[in-house]
Amino acid sequence: MSAAVPYPQRPLTHVYDAAYSGVPNWDIGRPQRAFVWLADAGLVRGPVLDVGCGTGELSLFVARQGHDVLGIDLSSLAISQARQKARWRQIPAQFLVLDALDLPALAARGFSFRTVLDCAMFHILGASERDRFIAGLDTVVEPGGLVCLLGDARRQPDAIYGITPAEVRRRFGDGWTVLFAYETVFERRWSTNPAYFVGLRRS
């Protein structure tokens, strides 16, 4: 009898690599406006972790503000493109191929962060994956640290795709305080979707 697998397998990396062999609809060539607002408000503090960083536009933007930044993504092709951008623009952001559900692996290597930025990663996860991601945050976010989630607004109450502030508040639970939650948009190359931007402070 095989050993039990505690969590379902993540989507295959070749799906994401295939997307990044071109220019995905979600890669708009700049950070989403919600994160520009966050930086302008002085709420980003380093070191910063950018989960599901894709080709690195958000990481590079934050690094240009003078913060130490690590971007992680499941796609090795996306990370390769992010590293190329960093070299071409001479921006000292760091990038690593890593599943955002494996944050304890970063903690085991001595990493900790004062800010974690999630641009449209959490909103695609399944229910158990969301809980696993939050458990991983507990291992790398410093006390007083900030986690910010931008995701498409959930359209159907019984759907898993998308987010609502109420669900985020419930899933994070004790030990986290919601600092802000507001309606915004998630921009794509050819469209925009209603979205929520939620910030949580760790106790």
Side-chain angles (χ1 to χ4, degrees):
M1 182 175 178
S2 61
V5 178
Y7 297 104
Q9 295 296 312
R10 288 280 280 144
L12 297 175
T13 58
H14 74 263
V15 173
Y16 296 99
D17 285 339
Y20 286 109
S21 65
V23 181
N25 191 23
W26 61 83
D27 192 341
I28 61 174
R30 56 177 172 78
Q32 295 283 329
R33 297 180 192 277
F35 293 104
V36 176
W37 167 84
L38 190 76
D40 288 347
L43 295 177
V44 177
R45 301 181 300 161
V48 178
L49 175 65
D50 179 9
V51 295
C53 67
T55 64
E57 289 296 340
L58 177 55
S59 294
L60 295 169
F61 167 75
V62 173
R64 282 198 302 267
Q65 312 301 310
H67 300 295
D68 291 333
V69 182
L70 174 65
I72 63 171
D73 200 281
L74 195 63
S75 168
S76 59
L77 182 55
I79 291 297
S80 176
Q81 293 175 18
R83 288 170 174 164
Q84 288 178 348
K85 288 181 180 181
R87 286 195 297 271
W88 293 338
R89 301 179 194 178
Q90 298 184 333
I91 299 173
Q94 300 297 311
F95 297 96
L96 181 66
V97 178
L98 185 75
D99 191 334
L101 299 189
D102 291 335
L103 295 183
L106 288 179
R109 295 164 66 173
F111 285 93
S112 64
F113 302 92
R114 298 176 74 189
T115 307
V116 176
L117 305 178
D118 174 356
C119 182
M121 192 279 299
F122 186 82
H123 79 172
I124 68 169
L125 298 178
S128 63
E129 292 176 326
R130 294 180 186 212
D131 292 338
R132 183 180 174 189
F133 173 64
I134 293 168
L137 288 172
D138 286 338
T139 69
V140 296
V141 179
E142 298 176 4
L146 180 67
V147 173
C148 297
L149 309 175
L150 175 66
D152 285 339
R154 181 170 295 142
R155 296 182 178 180
Q156 300 295 331
D158 58 348
I160 187 62
Y161 177 84
I163 63 172
T164 68
E167 183 218 1
V168 172
R169 184 179 292 108
R170 174 179 60 80
R171 286 194 183 275
F172 274 77
D174 294 340
W176 296 89
T177 301
V178 175
L179 294 185
F180 58 82
Y182 68 86
E183 296 180 6
T184 183
V185 295
F186 182 78
E187 301 172 89
R188 290 172 168 80
R189 292 173 64 82
W190 303 290
S191 63
T192 61
N193 276 21
Y196 288 109
F197 192 42
V198 184
L200 305 105
R201 180 80 70 197
R202 187 178 183 193
S203 300

